[in-house]
Amino acid sequence: MEIKKNAQSYLMPFIIMVVLMSLIGLITNLNQQFQGPMQAAYLLKAGGLKNMLTTMLVFSFFLAYLVMGPITNKYIDKNGYKKSLIFGLFILIAAFGLYELSAWVFETFDKANFIDTIEKAKAAEIAKTPFEYTGPVTVPYAYYIFLLAAFVAGTALTYLQAVVNPYIVACEVKGTSGVQRQSIAGAGNSTMTTIGPLLVASLIFGGASGLNISISSLYIPILALIVMVAIIIVALTKIHLPSIASAEKKEGEVLEKSVWSFSHLSLGVIAIFMYVGVEVCVGSNINLFAMSDGGFTLETAAKLASMYWGGMLIGRLCGSFLSKISANVQLLVTSVGAGILVALAMITNNPWLLVGVGLFHSIMWPAIFSLAIDKLGKYTSAGTGALMMGVVGGAVLPLIQGVAADHIGWQYTWAIVLAAEAYLLYYALIGYKVKQLPE
């Protein structure tokens, strides 16, 4: 009976963790989808640096995972999981505040320097003639605050992801297993990444596009998120959370070799780098590609991004039925499928083809992860930590693509994604094989 009471007592904490997992998905996606509106509002006078500066938003967000990851781990070790969770939520509120501050600074101080250019661009739009800014590059102060907000949001999520996942397993609920609870939370996360683009385009910016976008539209939605997170913080201080034991070190266990001596792990870190990079490239840049080369409005381009993330959701829900198929075969099939669609999208200059890539990307992470830590034994924990370094690919590849787009346009920048998919194919064929390099 006592076990059942404990299981029932953690239902509310589990619900809160599912909400937080969904919030993690929403914030990750919102940050990516802010690229289009930010470009329209802030970078009208960015000239040839427009795409590079736009993709810096995603770069700043994912850079936090690499820079702040070690600091996060030390904080958790020193202060425990519950304090770390609440601290991460306060950091998230600070990030939301910076987004609000950015909008206010632009409307109050920066916008006056853009009025003439906005009027010229609107006149060109009415006359249906192309407008190209040829003056000196001018970046508003609000843009840098927006980048800082993205970095702080990424920092908050390094805390939340490190803490929420263990709590989902620890919050026992009658009639569920740890795996089932993770699946429920994962479905919530994927659902929010799917509707995130639509929330940005339709709810936050009201279907506005291009020069009609007002960055002040952020005020009320972001304020609502601040209130919601504040309520969660108060709730967490009132409820009891299960204790999470730290991983126990086996007495006398010594790691005689470097974890990097396992080639399948080292190549796996690169595979994670490539995978997260291409996932974010498509998810965050498909709308920029659609608006630039396809002439899509922000609202229509957002539907493409939403459908891409929807494919990820469907793929993850169906992934459990693929347990009898080996991880390397899963990665082989999905990398080939994604590569074909990316190549066709590039050749035909058709962003719609990138929508289907989400279905193939959906099961790559668990496949790569399981292959990379295979047969590591006592090196598994260190190997897992090494793999997490690869997440920085979400910062690097989209930025490289943005820099390239400023010089050659978006169409042929998808060759970067195609090259990364080719590496994932190599890992599925050869790189995954367990091999230890000589010391």
Side-chain angles (χ1 to χ4, degrees):
M1 285 296 291
E2 188 176 347
I3 294 176
K4 290 183 179 179
K5 285 181 181 178
N6 285 340
Q8 291 175 348
S9 69
Y10 290 130
L11 176 60
M12 185 52 67
F14 172 64
I15 292 173
I16 291 176
M17 295 307 151
V18 172
V19 171
L20 288 175
M21 198 67 172
S22 302
L23 184 64
I24 288 170
L26 177 63
I27 300 307
T28 301
N29 197 267
L30 284 183
N31 188 74
Q32 295 176 26
Q33 301 311 314
F34 279 155
Q35 286 191 140
M38 186 190 69
Q39 184 183 79
Y42 291 169
L43 300 177
L44 191 61
K45 299 170 74 171
L49 299 178
K50 180 175 65 176
N51 290 307
M52 183 199 77
L53 292 173
T54 301
T55 50
M56 278 293 294
L57 181 61
V58 171
F59 178 84
S60 296
F61 181 84
F62 281 97
L63 183 65
Y65 282 83
L66 180 66
V67 174
M68 302 305 294
I71 298 173
T72 300
N73 292 334
K74 289 179 181 178
Y75 187 91
I76 293 171
D77 289 341
K78 182 178 180 181
N79 297 282
Y81 280 79
K82 185 172 182 177
K83 285 185 178 179
S84 299
L85 177 58
I86 293 173
F87 183 56
L89 290 172
F90 274 115
I91 295 175
L92 186 57
I93 287 178
F96 290 152
L98 286 169
Y99 283 125
E100 299 270 39
L101 177 63
S102 174
W104 181 80
V105 167
F106 182 78
E107 293 291 331
T108 306
F109 299 104
D110 292 320
K111 195 171 183 179
N113 297 323
F114 285 74
I115 294 297
D116 290 344
T117 306
I118 291 172
E119 293 302 321
K120 290 177 183 177
K122 284 184 175 180
E125 191 174 70
I126 294 171
K128 296 184 179 180
T129 57
F131 172 78
E132 288 189 16
Y133 176 74
T134 56
V137 172
T138 304
V139 180
Y141 295 114
Y143 164 83
Y144 299 105
I145 299 174
F146 215 86
L147 287 190
L148 177 61
F151 183 85
V152 175
T155 299
L157 263 57
T158 61
Y159 280 88
L160 298 187
Q161 289 195 337
V163 174
V164 171
N165 283 292
Y167 268 133
I168 288 169
V169 176
C171 288
E172 295 184 5
V173 177
K174 184 180 179 180
T176 67
S177 66
V179 174
Q180 288 173 320
R181 292 193 294 276
Q182 285 179 309
S183 297
I184 293 169
N189 180 281
S190 294
T191 299
M192 295 311 293
T193 60
T194 300
I195 68 174
L198 300 179
L199 288 176
V200 171
S202 301
L203 182 62
I204 296 180
F205 292 103
S209 185
L211 297 170
N212 295 318
I213 284 177
S214 173
I215 204 69
S216 61
S217 299
L218 287 173
Y219 289 148
I220 294 176
I222 294 296
L223 180 60
L225 286 172
I226 290 174
V227 172
M228 184 182 77
V229 173
I231 292 171
I232 293 173
I233 291 173
V234 173
L236 287 171
T237 61
K238 303 294 183 181
I239 64 174
H240 172 68
L241 294 176
S243 59
I244 300 175
S246 300
E248 296 180 2
K249 295 179 182 177
K250 294 182 180 179
E251 189 174 349
E253 184 173 82
V254 177
L255 301 183
E256 300 88 358
K257 299 178 181 293
S258 167
V259 72
W260 300 104
S261 65
F262 297 91
S263 67
H264 69 293
L265 173 69
S266 300
L267 295 173
V269 173
I270 300 174
I272 289 290
F273 178 94
M274 295 296 184
Y275 162 69
V276 178
V278 297
E279 179 193 292
V280 177
C281 276
V282 180
S284 63
N285 292 343
I286 186 174
N287 49 2
L288 299 179
F289 174 41
M291 289 188 291
S292 175
D293 290 26
F296 289 44
T297 65
L298 174 65
E299 192 169 17
T300 305
K303 291 177 182 176
L304 268 68
S306 184
M307 291 169 67
Y308 167 78
W309 292 109
M312 295 274 287
L313 171 60
I314 293 169
R316 284 168 179 165
L317 292 175
C318 296
S320 58
F321 298 104
L322 303 176
S323 58
K324 293 184 179 179
I325 302 175
S326 63
N328 66 300
V329 172
Q330 290 184 36
L331 184 59
L332 187 155
V333 172
T334 53
S335 59
V336 170
I340 290 172
L341 286 177
V342 171
L344 288 174
M346 181 174 66
I347 293 169
T348 62
N349 202 26
N350 184 355
W352 282 103
L353 290 168
L354 293 175
V355 168
V357 178
L359 190 62
F360 292 107
H361 280 174
S362 62
I363 58 172
M364 284 185 173
W365 174 279
I368 297 168
F369 211 91
S370 61
L371 292 170
I373 63 172
D374 187 32
K375 294 182 175 62
L376 288 185
K378 63 184 181 182
Y379 294 85
T380 300
S381 179
T384 299
L387 282 171
M388 293 311 296
M389 296 171 60
V391 174
V392 76
V396 177
L397 292 190
L399 178 62
I400 293 174
Q401 189 181 20
V403 172
D406 281 326
H407 293 87
I408 62 173
W410 281 103
Q411 180 178 1
Y412 295 107
T413 64
W414 296 103
I416 297 168
V417 174
L418 189 59
E421 303 285 5
Y423 177 85
L424 294 176
L425 175 60
Y426 157 76
Y427 189 70
L429 290 170
I430 300 171
Y432 80 94
K433 294 178 180 178
V434 178
K435 206 183 295 181
Q436 190 169 343
L437 301 173
E439 289 292 309

